Amino acid sequence: MPLAGKKILLGVCGSIAAYKSAWLIRLLVKKGADVKVIMTPAAHDFITPLTLATLSKHPVLTNFSKDETGQWNNHVELGLWADVMVIAPASANTLAKMAHGICDNLLLATYLSARCPVLFAPAMDLDMWQHPSTQSNLKKLVAAGNSLIEPTHGELASGLIGTGRMGEPDEILQSVESLFTTRTLAGKKALVTAGPTYEALDPVRFIGNHSTGKMGYALAEELLRQGAVVTLVSGPTHLAAPAGVTLVKVTSAEEMYLATQKHFSQSDIIVFSAAVADYKPAHKADQKIKKGQGSMHIELVKTNDIAAELGKQKKPGQLTVGFALETENEKINAQAKLKSKNFDLIVLNSLNDTGAGFGHDTNKVTLLTAAGSQEFNLKSKKEVAADIVTAIIEYAHA
Ligand SMILES: Cc1cc2nc3c(=O)[nH]c(=O)nc-3n(C[C@H](O)[C@H](O)[C@H](O)COP(=O)(O)O)c2cc1C
């Protein structure tokens, strides 16, 4: 229980996502944390102090002065009290003020007074998020040592679709916990491949697959959380790389092979979670292929099998993890792949399981080693990533 007895200040700003703060408080309190909430005046329009005070078991603070007696809420004391300050949701307005040292409410004065780590989880509409002012404020805040919990892509309160949704409370909880967790993989280098590959047919068309990269990105984040230095070789995705991970963007299987090979020999842990094309067009047309009269045949040739090729170069002390997405004879096929690709561990997911595989935020996996297998329930991909990394750590120490 890394959060037991930890003092957490939660700042809540004026955003629709403020309803998620209630759940976040619940999660933190269940983990044994002592949570005090500071709301901006605008946040009162979105969620009641009564809800947040009840869940946090402390009066919610908003104003400097308590009443006409002259008693006041001491922002300096609050800032020194906290082991960590979390601002979630962080509005564009508050981020701008934080970046410029503006101090016109209790939350901002406490932020300026805090000596503890500060995490902030922005929530806003996609255009507000993309605006150069917001982006420049974010850079300033991260450069000043604050930790950004990236907003995610999806449907926003406005009905628009894009990046700006506040990270889910369980993700924020994980980020807070990681501050107080021993970093078992400190000093280790990890290499993760993620996402699909696109194999070009002509300048505008490609053969691809439905991989979103979510599992690989979650693994990169979890390995980082455990202290590893992480390189993420990613095919085309809509995801933002976790802060602190070195991202290498690639498009084709060939590019992924070259980038992975470059980093392979110096990596201790290598996770092959990308959905790499097995075949690519034998020729890429220089110009857009025109529609003809009859049917069309495309000659396909094999791509490099990245995991198999690099599996041959594996040195003692290196640990490789593969993925098997199967539709039939799942365990038998996964065991065969474990051996043929020289993996230490293979993560099996079956398309027969509802909520598993491509595109979902959840996954249901079975982990196999030469010694046996372990089945897990359907969980969020972040939780699955934590299970896989725990298995990696256990395997390395066995
Ligand atoms: C319905 C509604 C939803 C809003 N949602 C957001 C939001 O998600 N993110 C944001 O940055 N501002 C949002 N705003 C604007 C802020 O509430 C406004 O900028 C406010 O001044 C923020 O104050 P604060 O930063 O002190 O909390 C919203 C406003 C309204 C009326």
Side-chain angles (χ1 to χ4, degrees):
M1 292 276 272
L3 292 188
K6 291 285 177 291
K7 301 187 204 84
I8 299 178
L9 264 183
L10 176 66
V12 180
C13 303
S15 153
I16 287 288
Y19 75 93
K20 292 186 184 173
S21 312
W23 186 240
L24 176 60
I25 295 169
R26 183 108 181 81
L27 294 176
L28 292 167
V29 169
K30 269 173 84 174
K31 294 281 181 176
D34 187 7
V35 183
K36 289 187 182 176
V37 180
I38 306 179
M39 294 173 79
T40 64
H44 287 245
D45 289 336
F46 295 84
I47 189 160
T48 67
L50 183 62
T51 302
L52 304 189
T54 308
L55 291 169
S56 67
K57 305 181 175 80
H58 284 292
V60 165
L61 312 171
T62 297
N63 299 313
F64 286 104
S65 74
K66 282 189 182 163
D67 48 40
E68 62 283 358
T69 63
Q71 275 196 309
W72 60 297
N73 292 314
N74 189 326
H75 51 280
V76 178
E77 265 176 22
L78 281 167
L80 295 178
W81 171 83
D83 294 314
V84 58
M85 182 169 188
V86 183
I87 304 173
S91 65
N93 175 58
T94 290
L95 292 182
K97 289 181 176 178
M98 283 162 64
H100 292 88
I102 295 172
C103 182
D104 61 1
N105 65 36
L106 185 66
L107 190 155
L108 292 161
T110 308
Y111 163 70
L112 286 181
S113 311
R115 291 187 188 164
C116 59
V118 177
L119 278 69
F120 63 103
M124 63 197 72
D125 217 45
L126 75 163
D127 296 300
M128 293 171 80
W129 171 250
Q130 284 167 359
H131 198 282
S133 302
T134 305
Q135 290 301 316
S136 119
N137 292 333
L138 286 170
K139 282 202 188 106
K140 275 197 187 126
L141 289 171
V142 171
N146 301 292
S147 300
L148 164 67
I149 300 170
E150 290 274 354
T152 58
H153 184 93
E155 190 175 343
L156 302 162
S158 60
L160 297 174
I161 294 181
T163 299
R165 284 170 64 91
M166 186 176 93
E168 292 305 320
D170 60 350
E171 187 194 334
I172 299 174
L173 174 75
Q174 276 196 8
S175 301
V176 178
E177 275 188 321
S178 71
L179 289 174
F180 304 104
T181 308
T182 10
R183 292 164 181 257
T184 322
L185 296 178
K188 298 281 179 205
K189 285 191 177 155
L191 173 63
V192 180
T193 70
T197 62
Y198 289 176
E199 309 306 321
L201 282 161
D202 68 15
V204 293
R205 302 184 182 93
F206 59 83
I207 299 175
N209 60 64
H210 291 300
S211 168
T212 56
K214 281 180 187 166
M215 195 63 248
Y217 277 60
L219 276 160
E221 190 168 2
E222 183 60 23
L223 287 160
L224 183 80
R225 210 169 75 83
Q226 290 289 352
V229 173
V230 183
T231 302
L232 175 62
V233 177
S234 173
T237 74
H238 291 295
L239 305 173
V245 162
T246 304
L247 177 68
V248 182
K249 285 187 182 176
V250 296
T251 304
S252 65
E254 180 65 14
E255 287 172 10
M256 187 170 277
Y257 174 68
L258 293 173
T260 309
Q261 194 182 40
K262 189 171 162 198
H263 294 276
F264 184 81
S265 64
Q266 63 267 31
S267 301
D268 304 293
I269 299 161
I270 304 98
V271 184
F272 298 100
S273 72
V276 185
D278 293 328
Y279 292 90
K280 63 178 180 180
H283 310 284
K284 180 190 163 201
D286 290 336
Q287 305 299 329
K288 187 179 167 199
I289 301 168
K290 295 278 179 217
K291 192 173 8 176
Q293 288 302 318
S295 57
M296 178 185 174
H297 297 275
I298 299 166
E299 190 193 347
L300 298 177
V301 291
K302 273 198 163 171
T303 55
N304 265 324
D305 186 331
I306 301 176
E309 286 297 319
L310 296 180
K312 289 180 205 153
Q313 301 171 21
K314 196 164 123 184
K315 293 177 298 196
Q318 278 187 312
L319 191 155
T320 56
V321 182
F323 272 72
L325 178 66
E326 301 291 340
T327 53
E328 56 180 355
N329 299 327
E330 290 96 337
K331 270 196 179 175
I332 294 168
N333 288 341
Q335 281 288 5
K337 204 169 172 184
L338 180 79
K339 275 202 196 110
S340 69
K341 306 214 175 176
N342 201 12
F343 292 141
D344 296 283
L345 216 150
I346 194 158
V347 183
L348 164 66
N349 44 82
S350 164
L351 281 189
N352 295 323
D353 289 321
T354 320
F358 286 155
H360 300 285
D361 285 326
T362 51
N363 207 354
K364 182 176 182 325
V365 301
T366 303
L367 301 186
L368 296 98
T369 62
S373 66
Q374 196 183 359
E375 282 185 31
F376 292 86
N377 295 329
L378 187 73
K379 296 181 178 189
S380 76
K381 284 191 171 163
K382 284 188 184 292
E383 289 170 308
V384 172
D387 288 339
I388 295 171
V389 173
T390 303
I392 290 173
I393 292 166
E394 282 170 6
Y395 187 93
H397 289 108

